[in-house]
Amino acid sequence: MQPDMRLDRLKDINSRRVLDEAARRRRLRKALEALESDNFQDDPHADLKMSKRAPKFEESMDDKMPKKKRKSKSDVYKFRFKKNFASLLEEEHNTEEPNYFSAQVPPSQFPERHFCAVCGSPSNYKCVPCGARYCCVRCLGTHQDTRCLKWTA
Amino acid sequence: MAVLVMDNGAYSAKVGYSTAVSPKIIPNCITKARNVRTRIFIGDQIEDCKDLSGLFYILPSQKGYLVNWEVEHQIWDHVFGKECMKVDFDNTGLIFTEPYFNFASIQESLNEIFFEEYGFQYIYRTNPAFLSQYKHQKSLSEKHLCSLVVDSGYSFSHIVPYHNGKKIKSATKRTNVGGKILTNHLKEIISYRQLMVMDETYVINQMKEDVCYVSTQFQKDMDIARKKGADNTVTCDYVLPDYTHIKRGYAKTREESTGKAKGSEQIIRMNNERFAVPEILFHPSDVGIQEMGISEAISYVVKLAPEEMQPHLLRNIVLTGGNCMLPGFKDRVYQDVRSLTPADYEVNVTQPNNPITFSWEGGAALAQDPQFKKMVVTKAEFEEHGQEICEEKFDV
């Protein structure tokens, strides 16, 4: 029995990596961006060839082809009023307080609460490799079987 | 001259003439259905669609601010057109709401579009909180000078203190948690624990509104949720719609909630998610957002206001916005704010009957006000003076 167990443990140490602080912060940022997203799936009509008359609604504001014909109403909107949120924020830096940035509430005074990623009840422990929270050993088992380090960030 | 009141939110637009009793609530987005490839649905046309699974949303607002003009223009065309409000622009004025601290370029574009593109006779742009506190003042028996409006919506929540009808701009604060984050978080945890629903924003949003509530005793409810069997009063089964036999999801009663599905229905077993998800409004740090929750922000804002105003603000807290419809929201806000303020201050939290349409109703009432005509900017004034007159007159 002894040699088998040692090989197993060696394999474990080599295959199981531990995420460092930077990787965990990257994961958290990705999760927060996902919380702000409008859609998880892609446009279901993306491959549809619409007739030339119907106006195209693209989710992003980049043009796929440059428009060469005369300026129609929708073109005016695309070119004149085209600003995405990031550039609006940049402009806002120049305005004086109180502005959008000063209106942001500061971080909370109370300590963070953590919840088990598997069942949702309050958790006290973190998974060693990936940092996900769990509440009991059973939830840890579920987490390691299904989600631990299953997709890299 | 007719006055059209439009409360333009990131999730829904509440629009109606000032003479109407209640507004029409139209989703402020364009949706694409998975199985209907011939057309898209603008605003409330989504009611024509039979299969609401896997709906793809195109929202003109990002983080609460109007960014995508093309999409919004199409929605407004539909709303002002003959299918909806049938607006006669030569004889109509407009009351329009926009978010707090709206960017200058958006404000200028709004002026241009409403005056030059559509041709309203006069417009009045304001924040939803202004209309809410106007309506609140009208309903009070005695005159209160100050009120604190909490506007908790789809994209964010704002706490706005008002004094004599003017907002205290330096004390207006924003928390970036709203209904969108709640729905997305609920989708994620259900997708992990039970069934893959990441595509089903519409269905899960309905489920959130049906089944979630705000708890006033979080720890105790968590303990109850951990029990098994009949002791667990929190658990609830929710039947998902399949759009062939079941047109709309519904929650089963406690007796029927066994966790086993009858026939071909799909069930989601809701446990501590019911109250843990709305908890994010009060503790955004639960999901990793380093901000104060709503009740903490209320107490923070009150401390920022001038000292003489503080007791008056605490006495007049008004809750508006879609998130306030969650059961138990008002009691939770009262409990939290009460525990954070000294005992000699009086705390009063009021919630109108319909928090979503409350600011629209304020707009309708404002249109009847004798002072209203002086507050608007007419088309002639705009053509003469340009953007500056709008900057002066509107307090956004």
Side-chain angles (χ1 to χ4, degrees):
Chain A
M1 280 312 280
Q2 279 282 52
D4 288 339
M5 277 170 63
R6 259 188 301 170
L7 273 175
D8 276 338
R9 255 195 260 140
L10 276 174
K11 199 163 52 148
D12 250 354
I13 292 173
N14 288 336
S15 61
R16 265 311 166 71
R17 62 191 176 100
V18 176
L19 285 185
D20 61 348
E21 188 56 42
R24 289 183 193 190
R25 259 183 271 134
R26 244 180 289 137
R27 273 208 171 182
L28 177 64
R29 212 168 15 97
K30 272 229 172 110
L32 287 178
E33 277 167 31
L35 271 182
E36 278 281 345
S37 63
D38 285 337
N39 294 292
F40 183 71
Q41 72 270 45
D42 297 321
D43 195 342
H45 293 180
D47 53 353
L48 214 54
K49 284 200 182 61
M50 300 280 265
S51 67
K52 282 197 215 137
R53 274 191 65 236
K56 270 225 272 278
F57 295 108
E58 285 146 355
E59 212 200 312
S60 69
M61 292 197 270
D62 319 303
D63 273 330
K64 288 210 185 80
M65 290 179 302
K67 282 223 166 79
K68 280 180 261 171
K69 45 188 199 290
R70 53 159 178 80
K71 272 198 177 179
S72 58
K73 280 257 175 72
S74 57
D75 277 5
V76 170
Y77 285 109
K78 268 217 194 89
F79 295 131
R80 210 159 36 128
F81 302 131
K82 176 179 173 173
K83 270 201 170 101
N84 64 2
F85 196 68
S87 50
L88 283 173
L89 278 186
E90 297 233 343
E91 281 182 6
E92 189 72 3
H93 275 294
N94 303 331
T95 57
E96 50 184 39
E97 311 233 327
N99 59 8
Y100 178 82
F101 297 107
S102 65
Q104 174 82 40
V105 287
S108 169
Q109 309 242 346
F110 299 110
E112 252 187 67
R113 308 182 300 192
H114 305 283
F115 298 98
C116 174
V118 176
C119 67
S121 34
S123 92
N124 288 326
Y125 322 105
K126 273 202 303 217
C127 170
V128 172
C130 74
R133 298 266 168 184
Y134 62 93
C135 63
C136 55
V137 171
R138 223 178 38 190
C139 285
L140 174 67
T142 316
H143 166 77
Q144 288 186 332
D145 289 338
T146 53
R147 205 153 80 148
C148 193
L149 293 178
K150 273 296 185 275
W151 42 86
T152 49
Chain B
M1 178 128 47
V3 182
L4 187 70
V5 182
M6 182 146 150
D7 183 2
N8 201 48
Y11 178 65
S12 64
K14 281 70 72 183
V15 63
Y17 288 102
S18 59
T19 44
V21 171
S22 63
K24 202 157 184 229
I25 305 181
I26 298 170
N28 204 0
C29 59
I30 291 185
T31 34
K32 294 190 188 174
R34 205 158 34 188
N35 303 321
V36 180
R37 307 201 111 203
T38 46
R39 63 174 286 202
I40 52 169
F41 301 98
I42 304 181
D44 57 345
Q45 285 178 348
I46 191 64
E47 291 166 22
D48 300 335
C49 178
K50 296 205 187 41
D51 183 4
L52 295 168
S53 63
L55 274 185
F56 183 80
Y57 279 83
I58 305 181
L59 291 152
S61 307
Q62 203 183 335
K63 288 219 154 193
Y65 294 92
L66 236 183
V67 174
N68 195 335
W69 290 98
E70 229 185 291
V71 173
E72 186 68 287
H73 181 64
Q74 291 293 322
I75 300 174
W76 284 344
D77 275 347
H78 168 76
V79 167
F80 297 147
K82 47 182 168 21
E83 290 148 26
C84 239
M85 291 284 121
K86 300 193 252 293
V87 179
D88 173 23
F89 295 105
D90 293 328
N91 281 318
T92 317
L94 177 70
I95 298 182
F96 185 80
T97 60
E98 47 183 1
Y100 314 88
F101 299 104
N102 202 5
F103 303 108
S105 51
I106 303 184
Q107 292 193 36
E108 289 169 13
S109 311
L110 278 173
N111 292 331
E112 281 184 37
I113 291 183
F114 285 135
F115 277 128
E116 292 167 19
E117 169 85 21
Y118 287 112
F120 283 101
Q121 292 309 301
Y122 58 83
I123 63 171
Y124 180 66
R125 279 189 294 107
T126 180
N127 301 129
F130 176 77
L131 300 176
S132 303
Q133 64 92 33
Y134 179 83
K135 178 94 182 146
H136 180 66
Q137 296 281 31
K138 291 239 148 195
S139 60
L140 290 176
S141 47
E142 26 173 280
K143 194 139 166 46
H144 284 253
L145 284 174
C146 303
S147 49
L148 186 67
V149 179
V150 177
D151 187 0
S152 184
Y154 183 67
S155 342
F156 39 41
S157 307
H158 277 95
I159 321 281
V160 198
Y162 271 89
H163 170 66
N164 246 345
K166 259 192 97 59
K167 74 168 184 263
I168 307 174
K169 214 163 178 189
S170 52
T172 304
K173 292 294 170 188
R174 171 190 81 248
T175 302
N176 285 319
V177 181
K180 179 196 225 181
I181 295 201
L182 297 187
T183 307
N184 279 340
H185 188 242
L186 186 56
K187 281 195 308 191
E188 268 184 47
I189 53 184
I190 293 183
S191 298
Y192 182 41
R193 296 174 195 173
Q194 293 184 54
L195 183 66
M196 173 66 172
V197 289
M198 290 303 287
D199 292 353
E200 313 286 339
T201 312
Y202 185 82
V203 175
I204 300 294
N205 199 48
Q206 259 185 357
M207 180 166 101
K208 176 189 79 171
E209 290 169 8
D210 286 344
V211 143
C212 287
Y213 65 93
V214 181
S215 117
T216 38
Q217 31 172 36
F218 186 63
Q219 288 299 339
K220 284 216 195 89
D221 280 345
M222 268 295 180
D223 292 332
I224 296 176
R226 265 201 269 223
K227 298 198 195 140
K228 298 206 201 301
D231 287 334
N232 191 334
T233 48
V234 173
T235 313
C236 174
D237 281 352
Y238 190 83
V239 178
L240 293 174
D242 59 3
Y243 298 109
T244 38
H245 307 291
I246 309 173
K247 293 287 174 192
R248 192 205 189 285
Y250 63 93
K252 288 194 181 168
T253 58
R254 279 217 63 233
E255 294 81 42
E256 297 174 350
S257 299
T258 55
K260 308 242 186 320
K262 269 202 304 248
S264 63
E265 59 187 17
Q266 286 180 308
I267 286 213
I268 297 206
R269 193 141 176 87
M270 296 291 282
N271 203 1
N272 53 25
E273 297 93 4
R274 283 183 76 185
F275 55 88
V277 164
E279 207 43 42
I280 302 174
L281 287 169
F282 297 94
H283 287 268
S285 48
D286 285 356
V287 276
I289 299 176
Q290 299 300 335
E291 289 180 14
M292 294 182 165
I294 288 184
S295 4
E296 220 188 316
I298 291 179
S299 148
Y300 175 71
V301 161
V302 167
K303 292 207 184 75
L304 282 179
E307 254 207 75
E308 319 82 52
M309 263 191 239
Q310 290 182 9
H312 299 280
L313 286 174
L314 284 167
R315 232 183 293 170
N316 278 310
I317 303 181
V318 185
L319 302 175
T320 56
N323 289 329
C324 304
M325 308 262 294
L326 288 166
F329 190 88
K330 175 179 161 197
D331 297 327
R332 175 62 186 270
V333 170
Y334 175 75
Q335 192 187 48
D336 282 356
V337 176
R338 179 75 273 179
S339 61
L340 287 170
T341 50
D344 42 348
Y345 289 97
E346 184 194 333
V347 173
N348 244 331
V349 179
T350 46
Q351 181 173 320
N353 288 332
N354 194 337
I356 296 184
T357 59
F358 195 56
S359 44
W360 181 92
E361 289 164 18
L366 183 66
Q368 328 282 3
D369 192 304
Q371 296 287 322
F372 177 58
K373 287 283 186 234
K374 302 200 198 108
M375 298 181 340
V376 304
V377 170
T378 61
K379 201 161 174 208
E381 284 172 358
F382 178 72
E383 276 160 15
E384 199 184 316
H385 301 276
Q387 300 282 0
E388 292 90 37
I389 190 163
C390 290
E391 269 181 52
E392 281 175 31
K393 271 198 163 175
F394 299 148
D395 163 38
V396 174

